[in-house]
Amino acid sequence: MSDSDGKKTLGLRGGSRPGNVKQSFSHGRTKNVVVETKRKRVVVPKPGAAKGGSGAAPSTSGSRRPAGISDAEMERRLKALQAAKAREAEEAAQREAEEKARAEERERRRAEQEAKEREQREAEERARAKAEEEERQRIAAEEAAKRAAAAPAPDAAKAERSAPSKPAPAAAPRKAEREREQRPSRGKGRDDNRRSGKLTLGQATGGEGNRQRSMAAMKRKQERARQKAMGGSVEREKVVRDVQLPETIVVSELANRMAERVADVVKSLMQMGMMVTQNQSIDADTAELIIEEFGHKVTRVSDADVEDVIKEVEDKDEDLKPRPPVITIMGHVDHGKTSLLDAIRDARVVAGEAGGITQHIGAYQVTTESGTVLSFLDTPGHAAFTSMRSRGAQVTDIVVLVVAADDAVMPQTIEAINHAKAAKVPMIVAINKIDKPAADPTKVRTDLLQHEVIVEQMSGEVQDVEVSAVTGQGLDELLEAIALQAEILELKANPDRAAQGAVIEAQLDVGRGPVATVLVQNGTLRQGDIFVVGEQYGKVRALINDKGERVQEAGPSVPVEVLGLNGTPEAGDVLNVTETEAQAREIAAYREQAAKDKRAAAGAATTLEQLMAKAKEDENVSELPILVKADVQGSAEAIVQAMEKIGNEEVRVRVLHSGVGAITETDVGLAEASGAPIMGFNVRANASARNTANQKGVEIRYYSVIYDLVDDVKAAASGLLSAEIRENFIGYAQIKEVFKVTGVGKVAGCLVTEGVARRSAGVRLLRDNVVIHEGTLKTLKRFKDEVSEVQSGQECGMAFENYDDIRPNDVIEIFEREEVTRTLD
């Protein structure tokens, strides 16, 4: 090819604009590149190309071929251009066809919709016309019947003759009905084809043929059709409800009580400016506005109203029946209360109590020889069980005060007298241990006078009986005195009402769960009854009497063990039987929340100044933290009260946790975190708790007598007391002369006037009987020898540690300090 075919160097007619660009590479390498900026090249076909392809592109015949383009290249480009134009034309035609098809589809759908609506309107008009026609026919028939009844017999005959010609007008409606049946069938078939791909409820439940409409559904459908035919649906009548409104209520619960949609209630609240969700609580005033807005009535209730189900019903006189008396035996420890009750019951309870002292409140029933039934409560006499004795006095009818004839009135005897007076119950004094040689019943009667207990022998009203639990002397007289007192009281109760009782004792049994010893006071407690007791509730699973036998029911004044609680109640709680478990659960939850709020309020009432003052007081107070686990609620309570009394202004015992039941891993974890020992009273740690305690070094101590537990805690608390420092004066010395010794300083030449001077002892320098220095000796010499001590009447040389201001006639006081261990009284 020649240069005329376009084979020549590329360039710019106007000239290029060269420039240098410096390129940088890695490792510090650079390169200078020459860059030329050129104009865009315009390709114009050569004149000869038009001749070669005259028929291909007539539009370019007159144009000039661009330089550097061959004929073959030009041919290819022209063909590509034509193909592109043809493709564009084809795509435009296709788009036009698709648009046209879519428009036709829309038109067809619109026509179908209009036809369907038209058919629906026609069907409604036909149904309305049919209903009107039936109504007209019914009215015409009624009028005809009236005329027939009023017309004479010939007219009736005429009516009968003309009757065959009457059905003719009814043929037209029947024909219209047949046409109507045919028309909907076509529409129905089309509808089935249209919904053929959708799963209906009938198909999902086993096919259309198996599903049958209920009678109620058919009636609802007929009612809807009739309402539609009569010209629209009728508005439902608004049901006005009485809505019970507590102090706070959740939005969803409020909607539920009004039987309204939650969304409507939330919307109404938002319109009032409250942005709340269905799970949020609102106050009673806001809820009242909402209830009134929805057209309902408000009944304000309080949280405490849940206890209204437990009503004190006044029993009628004809419903009351005699009941056994409840007798509580009280007195000082070791005065023979349980032994006396054992002699009455002919049992051996004392042998089963650890240490021979009663540590639980016991409830028993005794039938005397005369057939009288007596319910006895045996209370502990130890000082720690004050609250137990108080509970015993509150639920009892008669108190038997046991006083030992050889011991007379003691502190717990006085306390028992006060409990009986506070409970306003009659008292019978039983002077026990009358068989002992040192017995002095007269002294007992005289001592009781000091506490305003005047017995019959002292011209008073209180019965007194001399008894001996060992020999059985005077037991019959005691039972007679109890029976006489019960007869005077005329004790009655209604056994045919819901049971009410008091919890005497409560414990957590390993096999049986929470167990409460209950003394039924009114009504009859039966197996299966639902009850609430304090913050706990339950259903009576079993009733066990004092002999360990299962019984079906327990009447008034009968002590029983109740199984079936959901938790361990507090001793002293009142048991009430409720109608439903929901009521019992609600009351228990309310009481639990009220107790929690009370505790929180007690803590919140403390001001910052009080907290700061308490913290300052506690700076110098050492605490002994302990955990207490006992077998019954009363014992745990007694131990906690005893622990609170241990201590003084320097040390005190702090019970971190007290509970009922076996020692668990949770208790061990708490003890480890607080560095406290665990005190187990008549309980043991389970295997996992023992292993955990061994691993973590937690001390677990077991006790069965409350004396031992209190004494051990006292000893441990005493160990926290700082030892008392005592000074013992061992001698005096008088300075006769003062010498200056090189390397030592001033040395006092002394005469020991009294006692002994020791090198290790402390010294004070007295001048005119005023202490001017206290310290230790640097040296103690006799002649030139260093000695440990110098006896009275001998001379010696003394030098003070770090002190030189000594003068003749000064007196040196020599003393020793010793630490004395203190104990808690």
Side-chain angles (χ1 to χ4, degrees):
M1 284 197 178
S2 63
D3 290 343
S4 61
D5 291 334
K7 291 259 185 171
K8 60 181 180 180
T9 56
L10 298 174
L12 286 170
R13 288 187 176 83
S16 62
R17 290 174 290 177
N20 290 332
V21 175
K22 188 176 183 181
Q23 291 180 321
S24 297
F25 300 97
S26 60
H27 304 292
R29 293 184 291 115
T30 59
K31 181 181 178 183
N32 286 325
V33 180
V34 178
V35 179
E36 289 185 0
T37 306
K38 297 183 180 180
R39 291 196 192 93
K40 185 178 179 182
R41 184 177 59 164
V42 181
V43 179
V44 181
K46 288 182 179 181
K51 292 173 187 175
S54 58
S59 60
T60 58
S61 58
S63 62
R64 192 166 56 86
R65 182 194 300 231
I69 300 294
S70 63
D71 293 341
E73 179 70 20
M74 194 65 191
E75 185 96 19
R76 271 197 308 277
R77 290 190 182 186
L78 289 172
K79 283 182 180 178
L81 184 64
Q82 288 173 359
K85 286 182 179 177
R87 196 161 48 250
E88 282 179 7
E90 191 177 329
E91 285 175 358
Q94 190 176 353
R95 278 197 301 274
E96 190 178 346
E98 285 176 358
E99 186 64 34
K100 188 176 179 183
R102 277 197 294 273
E104 288 175 356
E105 179 68 17
R106 281 197 298 272
E107 190 64 32
R108 186 180 62 78
R109 284 183 184 173
R110 192 182 299 111
E112 282 182 2
Q113 184 68 22
E114 288 175 358
K116 188 176 179 183
E117 289 175 359
R118 191 165 53 252
E119 284 180 7
Q120 194 173 353
R121 281 198 302 274
E122 289 174 358
E124 289 175 1
E125 288 172 3
R126 283 196 297 273
R128 196 178 294 113
K130 183 182 176 184
E132 289 172 358
E133 181 66 29
E134 287 174 354
E135 185 68 19
R136 279 198 300 273
Q137 287 179 1
R138 186 179 61 77
I139 291 167
E142 286 176 0
E143 289 176 355
K146 286 176 184 177
R147 283 198 301 272
D155 292 342
K158 286 180 186 177
E160 284 176 9
R161 281 196 302 273
S162 61
S165 63
K166 275 189 180 179
R174 277 202 298 272
K175 186 178 178 185
E177 197 172 333
R178 278 199 302 273
E179 290 175 0
R180 225 174 13 252
E181 284 173 1
Q182 287 171 2
R183 271 204 298 271
S185 68
R186 288 197 299 275
K188 188 177 179 183
R190 188 170 68 245
D191 192 51
D192 285 344
N193 291 334
R194 189 165 55 84
R195 294 183 56 86
S196 59
K198 297 185 180 180
L199 180 68
T200 63
L201 185 64
Q203 291 166 353
T205 53
E208 287 288 331
N210 297 336
R211 185 164 175 251
Q212 293 181 347
R213 283 181 177 274
S214 66
M215 187 61 69
M218 294 295 290
K219 285 180 179 177
R220 284 196 299 271
K221 186 179 178 183
Q222 288 175 357
E223 181 65 20
R224 281 197 299 271
R226 193 177 68 80
Q227 293 289 351
K228 202 170 184 180
M230 295 298 289
S233 61
V234 178
E235 284 293 323
R236 271 190 178 180
E237 188 179 346
K238 178 79 173 179
V239 179
V240 178
R241 302 177 188 276
D242 287 326
V243 180
Q244 289 194 342
L245 183 60
E247 289 159 12
T248 57
I249 189 168
V250 179
V251 174
S252 56
E253 177 62 21
L254 177 63
N256 190 24
R257 291 186 184 188
M258 292 192 297
E260 303 284 352
R261 291 172 64 241
V262 178
D264 294 341
V265 177
V266 172
K267 183 179 176 183
S268 182
L269 282 163
M270 286 183 174
Q271 286 171 352
M272 292 168 62
M274 291 184 67
M275 300 298 150
V276 294
T277 63
Q278 64 174 358
N279 298 320
Q280 285 179 265
S281 296
I282 56 173
D283 61 292
D285 295 334
T286 308
E288 188 172 352
L289 292 172
I290 294 294
I291 293 166
E292 288 172 353
E293 186 179 327
F294 278 89
H296 299 288
K297 294 177 183 176
V298 182
T299 307
R300 294 290 281 264
V301 294
S302 172
D303 288 343
D305 291 347
V306 295
E307 297 209 34
D308 287 350
V309 294
I310 304 170
K311 291 177 182 175
E312 289 292 331
V313 181
E314 286 294 327
D315 295 313
K316 297 176 183 176
D317 292 337
E318 58 266 22
D319 296 334
L320 297 176
K321 296 176 183 176
R323 67 171 177 84
V326 178
I327 304 106
T328 300
I329 297 182
M330 302 174 82
H332 192 72
V333 65
D334 279 341
H335 275 205
K337 297 180 297 299
T338 307
S339 301
L340 184 63
L341 185 56
D342 284 352
I344 295 169
R345 295 177 62 224
D346 195 19
R348 292 286 175 271
V349 175
V350 171
E353 289 280 3
I357 63 166
T358 300
Q359 300 177 109
H360 305 92
I361 191 165
Y364 314 100
Q365 258 198 331
V366 175
T367 305
T368 62
E369 291 178 0
S370 61
T372 310
V373 179
L374 307 174
S375 295
F376 282 96
L377 298 182
D378 184 18
T379 62
H382 189 268
F385 296 98
T386 303
S387 54
M388 274 197 197
R389 284 191 293 278
S390 173
R391 278 198 296 278
Q394 285 165 6
V395 299
T396 192
D397 301 313
I398 302 166
V399 169
V400 174
L401 183 67
V402 178
V403 187
D406 61 342
D407 209 8
V409 175
M410 297 298 284
Q412 269 66 60
T413 313
I414 299 164
E415 190 189 288
I417 292 168
N418 294 334
H419 284 317
K421 286 180 178 176
K424 296 179 180 177
V425 291
M427 196 185 310
I428 297 172
V429 177
I431 303 171
N432 197 15
K433 302 187 182 181
I434 201 72
D435 56 312
K436 286 200 170 185
D440 188 357
T442 310
K443 185 179 184 301
V444 173
R445 295 184 180 102
T446 310
D447 288 352
L448 288 171
L449 286 172
Q450 300 173 18
H451 305 286
E452 300 175 5
V453 177
I454 307 165
V455 298
E456 286 179 342
Q457 286 200 12
M458 295 284 184
S459 304
E461 294 181 355
V462 178
Q463 296 183 75
D464 66 313
V465 184
E466 295 180 6
V467 295
S468 171
V470 176
T471 63
Q473 178 188 340
L475 292 180
D476 293 337
E477 288 87 344
L478 178 62
L479 292 174
E480 281 177 19
I482 292 168
L484 177 62
Q485 188 66 57
E487 195 176 330
I488 293 167
L489 293 173
E490 292 184 351
L491 303 168
K492 291 184 178 181
N494 179 10
D496 301 322
R497 54 168 286 179
Q500 182 181 345
V503 176
I504 303 298
E505 193 57 276
Q507 62 181 341
L508 186 64
D509 194 284
V510 176
R512 302 184 297 171
V515 180
T517 304
V518 176
L519 178 70
V520 181
Q521 293 171 307
N522 217 338
T524 302
L525 185 64
R526 296 178 175 83
Q527 190 170 331
D529 281 352
I530 295 159
F531 62 91
V532 60
V533 50
E535 297 173 24
Q536 312 299 335
Y537 70 95
K539 184 176 182 179
V540 179
R541 210 170 66 223
L543 295 171
I544 299 166
N545 65 9
D546 59 311
K547 299 180 184 67
E549 302 164 348
R550 290 187 72 153
V551 292
Q552 293 298 313
E553 59 180 37
S557 301
V558 178
V560 284
E561 279 189 345
V562 178
L563 279 69
L565 291 126
N566 73 323
T568 311
E570 295 287 329
D573 285 342
V574 177
L575 179 142
N576 292 99
V577 171
T578 59
E579 292 180 3
T580 63
E581 189 175 346
Q583 286 178 349
R585 192 186 302 113
E586 196 174 0
I587 293 166
Y590 164 69
R591 288 177 178 174
E592 188 177 358
Q593 186 62 42
K596 199 181 291 181
D597 292 345
K598 192 176 179 182
R599 288 193 294 269
T606 311
T607 62
L608 185 61
E609 288 79 8
Q610 289 170 330
L611 285 171
M612 295 294 287
K614 192 173 187 307
K616 200 169 184 181
E617 286 171 13
D618 293 349
E619 273 181 7
N620 302 320
V621 179
S622 300
E623 278 190 344
L624 173 65
I626 63 167
L627 267 80
V628 176
K629 291 302 283 287
D631 55 342
V632 295
Q633 192 76 40
S635 297
E637 185 184 6
I639 292 166
V640 171
Q641 289 173 356
M643 294 301 105
E644 287 171 355
K645 292 174 185 173
I646 297 173
N648 55 19
E649 65 277 357
E650 290 181 46
V651 65
R652 65 175 169 228
V653 178
R654 184 178 170 211
V655 180
L656 297 174
H657 170 69
S658 67
V660 175
I663 298 164
T664 61
E665 276 189 86
T666 310
D667 300 323
V668 174
L670 178 57
E672 186 213 3
S674 52
I678 300 174
M679 305 293 179
F681 186 75
N682 285 333
V683 293
R684 294 290 180 267
N686 56 37
S688 59
R690 280 198 302 274
N691 296 335
T692 310
N694 291 335
Q695 289 170 6
K696 296 182 177 179
V698 175
E699 183 182 10
I700 300 177
R701 291 192 173 196
Y702 301 118
Y703 298 92
S704 55
V705 179
I706 197 167
Y707 294 122
D708 300 338
L709 190 152
V710 173
D711 291 345
D712 279 9
V713 173
K714 256 187 195 175
S718 299
L720 295 175
L721 286 171
S722 56
E724 186 181 348
I725 307 296
R726 286 185 188 170
E727 289 185 355
N728 296 324
F729 297 101
I730 59 173
Y732 288 91
Q734 189 171 10
I735 299 175
K736 297 293 185 182
E737 194 62 55
V738 178
F739 307 98
K740 284 188 179 178
V741 178
T742 308
V744 179
K746 287 185 179 181
V747 176
C750 307
L751 174 67
V752 179
T753 58
E754 187 182 332
V756 64
R758 284 202 183 99
R759 167 79 177 78
S760 58
V763 290
R764 289 193 187 94
L765 186 64
L766 307 179
R767 189 173 294 158
D768 299 329
N769 291 323
V770 177
V771 177
I772 60 171
H773 174 69
E774 182 178 332
T776 56
L777 290 175
K778 186 194 292 185
T779 180
L780 176 64
K781 288 192 176 185
R782 177 154 170 74
F783 300 112
K784 289 187 179 181
D785 300 326
E786 187 78 31
V787 292
S788 60
E789 65 177 39
V790 178
Q791 296 297 327
S792 174
Q794 296 178 349
E795 292 182 344
C796 61
M798 294 183 191
F800 287 85
E801 193 83 52
N802 302 324
Y803 190 76
D804 282 341
D805 183 20
I806 51 178
R807 300 174 192 175
N809 298 321
D810 286 352
V811 176
I812 297 172
E813 186 180 71
I814 303 126
F815 62 91
E816 284 183 340
R817 286 192 177 98
E818 66 171 341
E819 290 186 354
V820 180
T821 305
R822 294 161 64 200
T823 57
L824 289 166
D825 295 333

